[in-house]
Amino acid sequence: MKRADVLLISIVLIAALAFIVPRWLTNDTDKAGPGNNLVANITVDGKLYKTVKLTKEEQTIDIRTERGYNILKVHEYGIEMFDADCPDKVCLSFGLITRPKQTIVCLPHRVLVEIAGSVPGEDDIDAYVQ
């Protein structure tokens, strides 16, 4: 290995660390937890079906429509799509969502799950325009 190879490798490592280290150092104030009052709004066919508080305790929400069924599971201050009978099952791949504005969508059944809540410093007014 020449000096230029070592220099190139170190530049690539520094650039990679520049993207990884800030993620470790940021605080998780927008993440669900005991101090945050986050809720999940469940919408079916464009209408609010249910609002669920995200808690550590496990609970199951069963959504049955003429298009099919979806089963949601609330646990660990988050919500996830646990089971569905849609043909593609893409909605199951979203996993556990825990942060505001994260969503789970099941298009065949027209189900939308979105996390909402009051997080300090978020959604404040940036500026007024006259």
Side-chain angles (χ1 to χ4, degrees):
M1 277 183 28
K2 297 182 181 176
R3 191 179 325 165
D5 294 334
V6 172
L7 182 64
L8 179 64
I9 291 171
S10 44
I11 288 173
V12 169
L13 285 175
I14 290 171
L17 287 175
F19 288 106
I20 294 173
V21 170
R23 293 185 127 182
W24 289 335
L25 298 179
T26 57
N27 60 359
D28 287 337
T29 58
D30 62 341
K31 192 167 182 172
N36 294 330
N37 295 323
L38 296 179
V39 295
N41 293 324
I42 303 168
T43 308
V44 177
D45 208 13
K47 297 177 182 114
L48 184 64
Y49 176 78
K50 190 173 188 179
T51 300
V52 180
K53 185 171 171 61
L54 300 179
T55 61
K56 187 172 180 78
E57 292 81 33
E58 185 173 314
Q59 61 178 321
T60 304
I61 298 138
D62 200 16
I63 302 170
R64 296 198 180 270
T65 63
E66 63 274 357
R67 292 183 183 85
Y69 73 89
N70 294 77
I71 298 174
L72 295 163
K73 188 193 288 189
V74 176
H75 61 96
E76 300 296 325
Y77 302 104
I79 189 167
E80 69 177 322
M81 188 74 69
F82 185 68
D83 191 20
D85 67 344
C86 52
D88 55 5
K89 304 226 187 262
V90 172
C91 55
L92 301 178
S93 66
F94 285 89
L96 182 72
I97 59 173
T98 58
R99 297 176 186 262
K101 299 188 177 146
Q102 285 185 321
T103 59
I104 298 173
V105 180
C106 182
L107 287 177
H109 297 162
R110 297 182 185 171
V111 174
L112 169 70
V113 180
E114 183 176 20
I115 295 184
S118 58
V119 177
E122 187 155 329
D123 291 341
D124 290 341
I125 296 173
D126 294 331
Y128 290 103
V129 179
Q130 295 182 353

